[in-house]
Amino acid sequence: MTNITPNDTICAIATAPGCGGIAVARISGPEAIAITNKLWKGTDLDKVKSHTAHLGYIIDPSSHQILDQALATVFRAPHSYTGENVVELSIHGSTWIQQELLRILIDSGARMAQPGEFTRRAFTSGQLDLTEAEAVADLIASSSAASHRVAMNQMRGRFSQRLDTLRDSMLKLSALLELELDFSEEDVEFASRTELKKLAEEIYQELHRLTASFATGAAIKDGIPVAIVGATNAGKSTLLNTLLGEDRAIVSDIRGTTRDIIEDTITIHGTLYRIIDTAGLRTTADIIESLGIERAMARIKQARIIIWVIDPNDTDTINDTATQINRAKTDDARTIIAINKTDISGTDINPHLPADMDATCLRISAATGKGIEQLKETIHSLSGAAGIDENTVMVTNARHYQSLTTAKDCITRVIEGLDANLSCDFIAQDLRETLHHLGSITGTVTTPDILTHIFSHFCIGK
Ligand SMILES: Nc1nc2c(ncn2[C@@H]2O[C@H](COP(=O)(O)OP(=O)(O)OP(=O)(O)O)[C@@H](O)[C@H]2O)c(=O)[nH]1
Ligand SMILES: [Mg+2]
C-alpha cells in the first residue's frame, strides 16, 4: 500500500467481486457526501441525518444518463466504521453498473481504495485497535463456528482487554521499580524483591498461557490437522471414507494401496478438522511407496492429532510403527489408537501395545461405522477446541505470537535480573522492552511498514 494520503476520499465495491442481486459501494473521507451528491438525484445528502437511508438515482455527470436506482446510506464522522464521513451505495449487482459507478466516483474526485484501507482508517482514527482490525479480516475468512467465534471474541476486544490487564500489571511493576530507583539513596521502604518477582512471574504465566494457545488457535483458523497413520491394510483409507461420509480414497486388500496424501475436512461440533489419510508404514523397495511413506512421516510431524489404526490380527510391526510415530510427532500432538476391524476380530483380541505410547485407545470398525461417533468425540475433546465460548481468548495470529514470545523472553530476563539482585535500571530497561512488544500487538507502538504489511492482506472494500 503506497502513496497513502490519509485525508482524501476513497471508494471501492465492498461486496464480493462478480454479479449479484445487490452490490454495495463504499465511499469514505471528508468529501464522501459531497462527491456522492455530484452523481445523486434525490434528497440532498448534505442535509440528511447520519445513519439514514435514501432512495434515489445515480446519474453519470458527464452524459446525464441514469446509471441505476440506488439506496444511499449516510454515516457522518465520527460515527462510522472508518470514523470519517461514509456513504454506502446499494446498487443493482451488475458488474457493468459496479464498474461504471467506480468510474463516475473517481471522475467526481474519489480515489480507488487500497486493500484494507477502510479498516486502516478505522485503526488510524481510533475506532479499532490493531488486533480488532485484524479480527475483521479473520471474521471475513472464518469458515467454521469455532473460527468465527474466536475472531468475533477478538473483534469485540476480548484479546485487547487481556493485553490491557497485562499492561496494567507491567506498569505497576515498572512503577515499583522506578520508585526504588528514585529513592535508592534514601531510607524509604520499597516493595520487596520477592514481591516484585511474584508480580513478574504472574506476568510471565499470563504470557505463557497466551503463547501456548497459539498452536490450537492457529489450527482452528485453518482446520485442525488429524493424521490417520498405521501399517498397510489396517483400514486407514476405509476410516477416512467413513469419517467423511463419502468414497474419497481407494480401499483394497492389497498392501500399499494408498501412496499419496489424501485430505479433506469435516466439522465436529462447529470445529473444522483436516482429516489426512497417509500411506501405510512399512519397509518397502518400491520407490513411489517410499516417497508416500516419507510424506506420511511429514504429516505426522504437522498433526495435532494422530489416529493410529491397528488391525488386531496383523500386529507384527506394531513396535516399529510405534517407534516411527513417536519419533515423528511433536510433543503437543495427541495420539488415539483405533483398534479396527472389530466386526470380524471380535472384542477379545487385545493387541499388545507398546508401554511408552501415551494414547487414548478405542475399538472401532471403519467398515461398519461402529465406534466412529465416539472417535469423533475423542478427536474433539483432545483437540483443545472443545469449550470455546464467548470468553475464550486465543492467539490465532502469527504476528501476535511473535510479539508475545519476545515479550516472554524479556520478562524472563526481568525475573533473572531480580533473582541476581541486579540494579533497578537494568531490570527497568528489560521491562520497558516487554511493554514495547506488548504495545506492538494492539498498535500503540507501530510503524507504517507493519501497518502496510497487515492491511495489504485485506480485501479491497474492507
Ligand atoms: N472387516 C473389516 N474390514 C475392513 C475394515 N476396515 C478396512 N477393512 C478392509 O481392510 C482392507 C484394507 O483397507 P484399507 O482402508 O485400504 O487399508 P489402508 O490402511 O488404507 O491400507 P494401505 O493404503 O495399503 O496402507 C480392505 O479390504 C478393507 O475393506 C473393518 O473395519 N472391518
Ligand atoms: Mg489406504
Side-chain angles (χ1 to χ4, degrees), residues 232-233 235-238 249-252 254 256-259 262 277-280:
T232 53
N233 258 3
K236 301 180 295 301
S237 301
T238 310
I250 298 172
V251 164
S252 91
I254 302 166
T257 299
T258 306
R259 303 291 179 94
I262 302 173
D277 180 23
T278 62

Side-chain angles (χ1 to χ4, degrees), residues 297 300-301 320-330 357:
M297 299 308 288
I300 296 176
K301 280 196 183 80
D320 294 343
T321 312
T323 310
Q324 278 174 291
I325 295 173
N326 273 338
R327 202 178 294 148
K329 77 185 223 9
T330 63
M357 199 80 193

